[in-house]
Amino acid sequence: MKAAQIQKYSKNIRAQVVDIPIPSIKDNEVLVKVKVAAVNPLEILNITGSVKLIQDYEMPLVLGNELTGVVEKVGGNVKGFKVGDPIYTRLPIEKIGAFAEYVAVDAGAIWNLPKNLDFITGAAVPLTGLTAYQGLIEELEVKEGQTIFIPGGSGSFGQMAVPIAKAMGLKVIVSGSPSARERTLNADADQYIDYTKENYWEILDNVDFVIDTLGADEFERELSIIKPGGRLLSLRTGPNKQFAINHGLPKWKQILFGLVGAKFDKKAKKQGVEYRFIFVRADGKQLEKITKIIEENNIVPAIDPTEFTICNINEALNLVANGHPKGKVVIKF
């Protein structure tokens, strides 16, 4: 089968298309014939080794974190799935490989494709959907009626996070580009701030939570608008000691992440705010809950119109790394 892999971590954002054997499955796994795989900023981090302290991969590594496909074979211990089922998944962090014609995946990481989505739109959901769900439920512990702000939330994360947050009863405020205003308000955001005309830190105050998609440069501005007792959850700024403890990482990583994240923890504490970092994990049961939200609210994520296959994976990676996609970038098999 064809697959896109890297031989080593590198600053050069390139993958190599190779022929490798179709994987065999264990009793707890299913073999999936991949239909569509999404290309995310996480792929760039995997290529450069930027997240190797969280997950260090053996080489060569087949890239790709989320996909849609059809169940081709079922392991002996698998219940609830059969050959021919259309599924979607965020692959387990320790065993990625969506950029391939077939993938062996733990049945606990998959769920049935939402009825209102096809293989293309479905591929845009698992990673961002689970990030939003785990962030809101586990990290922020949100309650109905609270307010959340997502700076830079007009991209692929926001298009899943906004409707999921609204389905949980939150007031949702987003900042982003003028071109995404209508799409984001149509996704049910309560307020949209055009960053080319307004500064969110001069408008907002006393919000319960911020989900940061922009990184460390925005940290202090984001903190300034959160009420005491609130939380700031980052997808970008970096892990801290709490993250290492929550993920059961070894003691040396707890110490290291504690040192790396100390300045952010200190700044947050000074404002009476708690800082959290998230690195999303696979979870089929949570995908089941997300599927219900997607179907009930008819959520359909935007897909970039550029057509890619495995053969031009490097063009797709380049669009994600350096371009301005108009929705999730996907490769079709």
Side-chain angles (χ1 to χ4, degrees):
M1 67 169 184
K2 280 192 165 49
Q5 62 178 209
I6 57 170
Q7 307 298 320
K8 61 178 183 179
Y9 296 126
S10 169
K11 288 191 169 67
N12 188 15
I13 311 298
R14 284 193 71 75
Q16 187 180 359
V17 180
V18 295
D19 273 306
I20 58 174
I22 294 172
S24 54
I25 57 169
K26 297 173 184 168
D27 284 345
N28 62 321
E29 292 181 327
V30 296
L31 182 70
V32 176
K33 183 178 174 62
V34 180
K35 291 287 189 180
V36 180
V39 186
N40 294 281
L42 180 54
E43 267 66 72
I44 314 305
L45 300 178
N46 288 151
I47 290 168
T48 57
S50 301
V51 290
K52 68 180 177 184
L53 279 174
I54 297 171
Q55 179 63 53
D56 195 3
Y57 292 103
E58 283 183 22
M59 297 293 162
L61 170 68
V62 178
L63 298 164
N65 284 274
E66 63 180 338
L67 60 87
T68 56
V70 175
V71 175
E72 190 94 344
K73 275 185 195 170
V74 177
N77 296 337
V78 174
K79 305 258 188 308
F81 296 100
K82 63 185 187 303
V83 172
D85 282 349
I87 62 94
Y88 69 155
T89 181
R90 185 272 190 263
L91 294 171
I93 295 165
E94 65 279 1
K95 196 180 177 186
I96 62 171
F99 298 168
E101 291 177 288
Y102 294 88
V103 64
V105 56
D106 190 301
I110 69 174
W111 194 250
N112 303 304
L113 190 67
K115 292 182 175 64
N116 64 316
L117 301 181
D118 57 21
F119 287 118
I120 297 168
T121 50
V125 171
L127 196 70
T128 48
L130 284 168
T131 303
Y133 190 88
Q134 289 169 19
L136 292 164
I137 296 286
E138 298 172 4
E139 301 292 345
L140 298 178
E141 300 175 285
V142 300
K143 292 181 177 65
E144 192 174 341
Q146 290 180 311
T147 301
I148 190 159
F149 173 54
I150 310 173
S154 59
S156 62
F157 172 72
Q159 70 177 358
M160 286 306 305
V162 170
I164 289 173
K166 286 301 293 179
M168 292 176 181
L170 299 177
K171 180 183 178 185
V172 183
I173 306 166
V174 174
S175 71
S177 63
S179 61
R181 180 186 182 87
E182 198 173 330
R183 186 180 77 218
T184 309
L185 290 171
N186 285 343
D188 228 8
D190 295 281
Q191 185 179 346
Y192 192 84
I193 299 168
D194 176 349
Y195 79 87
T196 65
K197 294 178 181 169
E198 301 173 296
N199 295 322
Y200 68 79
W201 59 91
E202 293 171 349
I203 299 168
L204 303 177
D205 190 29
N206 237 28
V207 303
D208 295 288
F209 309 111
V210 169
I211 298 184
D212 159 59
T213 71
L214 302 173
D217 290 348
E218 287 296 305
F219 192 79
E220 290 183 35
R221 288 169 178 165
E222 290 166 351
L223 275 183
S224 73
I225 65 166
I226 303 173
K227 65 170 68 164
R231 289 181 181 176
L232 191 163
L233 174 66
S234 182
L235 317 183
R236 294 280 302 277
T237 296
N240 59 356
K241 188 174 182 179
Q242 191 62 52
F243 171 85
I245 291 167
N246 290 351
H247 286 74
L249 298 179
K251 204 75 182 166
W252 70 270
K253 284 191 180 180
Q254 291 181 25
I255 293 165
L256 180 64
F257 288 174
L259 291 169
V260 170
K263 65 178 177 181
F264 301 114
D265 286 335
K266 195 174 174 184
K267 284 177 183 175
K269 195 175 179 184
K270 199 173 174 185
Q271 300 271 53
V273 172
E274 189 179 352
Y275 171 60
R276 296 285 184 100
F277 177 75
I278 189 169
F279 195 76
V280 68
R281 69 179 189 282
D283 192 318
K285 289 293 174 202
Q286 288 184 349
L287 270 184
E288 179 182 4
K289 291 173 182 170
I290 290 164
T291 300
K292 283 181 186 161
I293 294 171
I294 287 167
E295 290 175 346
E296 283 168 11
N297 297 277
N298 195 27
I299 300 165
V300 181
I303 303 294
D304 187 90
T306 320
E307 297 261 341
F308 295 108
T309 67
I310 189 77
C311 297
N312 43 17
I313 181 63
N314 288 314
E315 286 92 328
L317 288 167
N318 184 58
L319 177 57
V320 170
N322 304 308
H324 297 280
K326 297 176 178 70
K328 187 67 74 92
V329 175
V330 299
I331 55 172
K332 299 174 189 174
F333 288 85

